[in-house]
Amino acid sequence: MNLKLHNQEQFLKNGRVQEIIWVEELGELQHEITKALRGMLSKTHLVEEFADVLICLEQLKIKYNISDEQLQEWIDYKYNRECNRQEQKNKIHLNNTGISL
């Protein structure tokens, strides 16, 4: 993602209040997702909450000194792990249907 999230360090000065805001914003995105699952999607609200969460994640990166490189390593690891899991599931499914590989 190449989003411009601006400098977020000034918001970290809010201390505990900012930490509470992070949790609240995550909950608001969850709420919008569950509304969408119930057929009440508001794309505007969903995108707004998504943006709030991305901002919060950027602030968390700063607070805990997490680099983009560290995140990318974990993203790659988890992506590859999930690809391997899916491959194994597909093999099991094919074997159970009698299709040989």
Side-chain angles (χ1 to χ4, degrees):
M1 249 187 277
N2 293 323
L3 300 173
K4 184 177 181 182
L5 295 173
H6 309 286
N7 185 342
Q8 297 295 315
E9 290 188 36
Q10 67 192 27
F11 299 103
L12 298 178
K13 296 174 185 171
N14 294 331
R16 181 65 77 186
V17 171
Q18 195 64 35
E19 293 171 348
I20 292 168
I21 290 170
W22 295 331
V23 174
E24 289 173 347
E25 294 299 348
L26 291 167
E28 289 173 11
L29 178 59
Q30 179 185 8
H31 182 71
E32 289 302 319
I33 292 168
T34 58
K35 283 173 49 179
L37 291 171
R38 293 191 315 265
M40 302 183 315
L41 172 65
S42 167
K43 181 91 179 256
T44 300
H45 290 140
L46 182 66
V47 172
E48 177 186 1
E49 297 307 335
F50 200 97
D52 286 342
V53 167
L54 286 175
I55 291 166
C56 291
L57 292 174
E58 185 66 19
Q59 291 172 2
L60 283 162
K61 280 175 43 184
I62 295 166
K63 177 178 174 68
Y64 293 108
N65 195 29
I66 298 170
S67 69
D68 289 339
E69 292 77 18
Q70 288 173 304
L71 283 174
Q72 192 62 57
E73 285 178 27
W74 278 102
I75 289 168
D76 293 344
Y77 169 78
K78 289 181 173 281
Y79 175 80
N80 290 328
R81 183 179 66 184
E82 188 57 29
C83 286
N84 290 333
R85 286 179 180 164
Q86 289 298 320
E87 186 177 316
Q88 290 302 315
K89 285 181 185 178
N90 290 340
K91 285 181 184 178
I92 291 169
H93 176 71
L94 290 175
N95 287 337
N96 289 340
T97 60
I99 299 171
S100 61
L101 300 174

